[in-house]
Amino acid sequence: MDLTGKTAIVTGGSRGIGRAICLELARRGANVAFSYAGNAAAAQETVELVEQTGATARAVQGDVTCADAAKELVDAAKELGGVDILVNNAGITRDKLAARMSEEDFDAVIATNLKGAFLMTKAVLRPMMRAKSGAIVNMASVVGIMGNAGQANYAASKAGLIGMTKSIAREVASIGIRVNAVAPGYIETDMTAAMPEAAQQAMCSAIPAARAGKPEDVAHAVAFLVSDEAAYITGQVLAVDGGMAM
Ligand code: NDP
């Protein structure tokens, strides 16, 4: 899974799964341009960790819901060499039972998790089409497959991502661009640490592998899907969940 000479874009690379993906792709030889929402100190730390691998990193502050931010990230990747890989990783939760969920909480999650990935994909498709190659991975979730009480907005965004993955995969497969999704289960990050203790325990007890996942578990799957070893794989959803969604 050698990515030498490739340039990757990762949204939400400052922390958690996104940071692990930046590092894993860099270890395999890719330069990385990544975005973050506002945590500049964490973004700087990711830059330093990536550069310790010998790769080059650029951090771009920007909201994935904004088309101009997508363009800025693509420009940063072009400065590093091109646009070979896109990982739509940035995501948020605003959990509440549907009866109590505000319209604003619904819209915010759909805008970041689903529309953000659409805008970013739209921004990379032209350069990828010109190059007649490219690999895109969308960060879905087991919740998009199984549903989860308290996460109607989040589950809808992740199920939407799966539908979008398959649709765009069909549109661009014949021109050498692959689009896949990864569906993580319960992964130890700031996002899951913010869940109520009881919800964390309920999720952990549903994992056949009897352990929570680590950001690196997801990053390894992403590295495979964007590599040439996955050249004949497109439109797929790879669960990285210790068996949770079998
Ligand atoms: P974290 O909350 O730990 O990190 C989120 C990252 O996304 C941060 O880098 C954050 O930037 C960035 N971000 C958030 N909103 C925006 C925005 N509007 N524009 C740009 N960047 C943004 O999340 P995780 O690492 O846990 O999750 C990463 C992805 O994996 C998400 O899509 C999530 O839904 C998915 N996932 C996670 C699971 C888990 O168990 N953790 C399970 C299944 C899926 P900043 O640091 O500046 O705030």
Side-chain angles (χ1 to χ4, degrees):
M1 295 195 283
D2 181 16
L3 303 175
T4 305
K6 309 240 184 211
T7 302
I9 294 175
V10 179
T11 63
S14 48
R15 292 182 286 124
I17 294 171
R19 174 184 281 178
I21 293 168
C22 290
L23 287 176
E24 186 60 29
L25 302 187
R27 265 188 221 111
R28 295 180 182 281
N31 291 326
V32 183
F34 70 89
S35 69
Y36 63 102
N39 195 335
Q44 183 52 32
E45 208 176 305
T46 301
V47 169
E48 285 163 18
L49 290 167
V50 167
E51 300 208 325
Q52 280 169 20
T53 70
T56 308
R58 290 272 185 287
V60 179
Q61 192 275 325
D63 186 340
V64 287
T65 65
C66 167
D68 288 346
K71 190 181 171 302
E72 222 180 297
L73 199 48
V74 170
D75 289 344
K78 284 181 179 164
E79 280 171 26
L80 295 183
V83 186
D84 304 296
I85 295 163
L86 166 65
V87 184
N88 283 311
N89 165 77
I92 59 167
T93 50
R94 295 267 183 95
D95 299 352
K96 268 205 178 77
L97 294 173
R100 291 191 201 141
M101 186 179 287
S102 69
E103 198 176 328
E104 194 204 350
D105 283 347
F106 188 87
D107 288 346
V109 169
I110 299 290
T112 301
N113 300 6
L114 182 56
K115 185 182 166 189
F118 168 71
L119 291 175
M120 204 60 243
T121 302
K122 201 167 146 63
V124 301
L125 277 180
R126 194 160 295 167
M128 284 184 176
M129 281 165 150
R130 223 175 284 128
K132 294 192 168 53
S133 84
I136 299 172
V137 173
N138 293 321
M139 199 55 62
S141 166
V142 287
V143 167
I145 299 166
M146 302 165 70
N148 195 24
Q151 292 198 307
N153 49 0
Y154 185 79
S157 74
K158 297 301 186 180
L161 267 180
I162 291 172
M164 191 169 84
T165 298
K166 294 179 182 183
S167 300
I168 300 178
R170 286 181 184 278
E171 291 178 15
V172 296
S174 65
I175 36 174
I177 304 170
R178 298 181 300 104
V179 191
N180 289 291
V182 167
Y186 181 88
I187 311 295
E188 284 170 344
T189 66
D190 294 344
M191 181 181 274
T192 43
M195 287 165 61
E197 187 71 29
Q200 290 187 35
Q201 276 172 11
M203 286 205 101
C204 284
S205 66
I207 304 171
R211 71 162 176 93
K214 302 213 168 302
E216 293 73 25
D217 291 319
V218 181
H220 291 145
V222 171
F224 167 63
L225 286 173
V226 302
S227 73
D228 290 345
E229 279 76 4
Y232 202 51
I233 300 176
T234 197
Q236 301 305 305
V237 184
L238 178 56
V240 182
D241 64 355
M244 212 171 170
M246 279 188 269

